[in-house]
Amino acid sequence: MSTTKKIALHWQILIAIVLATVTGLVFNLYSDAIGIDKSRIVDSMTFVGSLFLNALKMLIVPLVMSSIICGVSGLGQGDHIGRLGGKTIGFYMISSLIAILVGLVVVNTIQPGIIDGAPAGNTLNLSSEAAVAEQLARVEGRSTSDIVDVFIRMIPPNIIKAAGQGQMLGLIVFAILFGFCLTKIKERYRQNLTDMWQGVFEVMMKMTMLVMKFAPIGVFAMVAKTVTMTGLDAFVTLAWFFLTVFIALAIHAFINLAIILKYIAKVNPIKHYKVMMPVMLTAFSTASSSATLPMTLETVEKDAGVSNKTTSFTLPLGATVNMDGTALYECVAAMFIAQAYGLNLDFATQFTIVFIALLTSIGVAGIPAASLVAITVILAAVGLPLEGIGLLLVTDRVLDMMRTSVNVFSDSVCAVVIARSEGEETNLT
Ligand code: ASP
């Protein structure tokens, strides 16, 4: 029998992140000196990282479908689904609003856009317009910040196309309807179909566990790539902005959500953080709530002990519409741009920013850099200069990694709160 003790997954991922940061910094700073082509390194890291990311993404459609169909058909009655849906959406709106308000208070306190009493716009290096356009083009079309469009996407004309384009909301609505109507058909067919979807779900969970084993390697590649490309300089120029977002996200993730876990869900927050660690680290490395969803589902169900009925509904929905970190970031970013350009925003304008941040965070897709599009919507709505986005590009990836972890963590908190409110015992009380 082997005597070696297996290192827990979250430690493996954490070690991978540390090693990747060191490796990335070495390549960023010394690749010329040691005669290595930086782009080669980035290419090979991209190759390994993409294998992992693709493996996660490959699971999403069948996992979301089977999970929701099993969960909803298990719920049976229509009023059950209505109640669960109402509570879930309510939680998501409130937690996002709290997150935005934290962001607003912190950005008004630290004022990262003002350096030595003067607007920082001139001293900060603005990225070129071309760089801004390139970034936006990457996410535009995939991330919708228009709230009307969110409703349109809920009813996709072609479910296969929606699945192919990663339009999760349409997929979720279809799966909910499928699960609901499944309970209305003849017993013989119902039994067959329920067994089949349950089987698919079990297989998908097993596949997720398999993919999770490769998380440390995938995470290493993705983080090393980011650090190799970005280096440290970016963070020096935007240190205050970075710090503001970091502090606000930390307050929300470690104080607000901990209080909700302790006093509303009545579970032990420390235990919850512990089981969610590998998921948060994966969200951090992938900067995508959608790609992390398979791991979130598997962990909240297996380790936190929330029933499939609850996770199958709350988590896919959360990965699509609930983005506390993103909402907070949008608010801080818009305020930062206003400060950097020396514009004073009155209470009404700040209120508008809060409101649009809340709405657009629902429409933002769970993919990297999706918030940038939403921020352009806010800037346009309150009349701030759109070029301000250029200020954000330098640090966007790393802050994206952080806000995505918070997005995903908040989904898991919602699943636990809903489960407890439905009388479930769960594992972490
Ligand atoms: N990357 C974020 C997510 O997937 C969205 C964003 O804020 O850009 O959750």
Side-chain angles (χ1 to χ4, degrees), residues 86-153:
K87 276 202 262 188
T88 307
I89 302 281
F91 180 94
Y92 285 153
M93 296 296 263
I94 294 171
S95 71
S96 297
L97 185 64
I98 298 174
I100 300 173
L101 293 177
V102 169
L104 191 66
V105 171
V106 177
V107 76
N108 275 319
T109 313
I110 299 185
Q111 304 211 320
I114 302 192
I115 295 176
D116 296 332
N122 301 334
T123 46
L124 294 173
N125 290 331
L126 280 166
S127 302
S128 71
E129 264 179 43
V132 177
E134 190 198 306
Q135 265 291 347
L136 291 181
R138 259 197 244 163
V139 279
E140 247 161 37
R142 294 168 69 202
S143 146
T144 312
S145 5
D146 184 346
I147 199 73
V148 178
D149 220 66
V150 172
F151 287 102
I152 296 284
R153 276 188 299 148

Side-chain angles (χ1 to χ4, degrees), residues 168-405:
M168 295 264 291
L169 214 49
L171 211 62
I172 292 172
V173 171
F174 178 81
I176 292 175
L177 285 175
F178 192 100
F180 177 66
C181 294
L182 182 56
T183 60
K184 309 274 175 226
I185 59 174
K186 272 197 201 126
E187 167 64 22
R188 186 156 63 103
Y189 302 125
R190 187 176 68 214
Q191 199 51 52
N192 279 344
L193 274 180
T194 316
D195 284 351
M196 197 256 332
W197 283 109
Q198 192 65 46
V200 172
F201 178 64
E202 299 283 324
V203 173
M204 294 320 298
M205 290 296 245
K206 281 272 180 292
M207 283 177 76
T208 306
M209 278 161 81
L210 196 68
V211 173
M212 273 164 76
K213 291 206 166 70
F214 294 91
I217 301 172
V219 163
F220 175 86
M222 285 184 291
V223 175
K225 174 190 154 192
T226 307
V227 181
T228 305
M229 285 177 12
T230 335
L232 277 184
D233 293 351
F235 307 102
V236 177
T237 7
L238 284 170
W240 283 110
F241 172 63
F242 193 86
L243 200 71
T244 309
V245 178
F246 178 77
I247 292 175
L249 285 175
I251 293 177
H252 187 63
F254 297 110
I255 300 179
N256 296 347
L257 294 176
I259 292 176
I260 293 178
L261 280 171
K262 187 162 172 57
Y263 294 103
I264 300 183
K266 302 212 171 17
V267 299
N268 184 330
I270 310 281
K271 285 187 189 166
H272 190 76
Y273 287 114
K274 228 170 148 188
V275 299
M276 285 303 292
M277 202 50 103
V279 182
M280 286 172 82
L281 293 174
T282 304
F284 180 83
S285 320
T286 58
S288 167
S289 322
S290 295
T292 315
L293 181 61
M295 277 179 85
T296 322
L297 274 165
E298 145 87 29
T299 309
V300 176
E301 196 172 324
K302 292 268 156 63
D303 299 331
V306 175
S307 75
N308 173 248
K309 280 181 201 166
T310 309
T311 52
S312 69
F313 193 79
T314 49
L315 295 177
L317 200 66
T320 322
V321 304
N322 180 47
M323 310 235 167
D324 289 9
T326 295
L328 180 156
Y329 178 74
E330 285 176 22
C331 173
V332 173
M335 291 296 297
F336 167 69
I337 291 171
Q339 291 169 358
Y341 279 93
L343 303 162
N344 229 333
L345 298 184
D346 56 13
F347 178 75
T349 317
Q350 296 199 18
F351 177 80
T352 314
I353 292 181
V354 169
F355 187 67
I356 308 180
L358 184 63
L359 289 186
T360 51
S361 73
I362 298 172
V364 162
I367 55 171
S371 314
L372 290 178
V373 181
I375 294 169
T376 56
V377 176
I378 301 184
L379 297 182
V382 296
L384 288 170
L386 284 187
E387 317 80 73
I389 285 276
L391 288 176
L392 310 175
L393 290 189
V394 210
T395 48
D396 190 66
R397 180 66 188 199
V398 179
L399 291 176
D400 195 3
M401 295 159 104
M402 293 182 186
R403 62 187 187 249
T404 307
S405 302

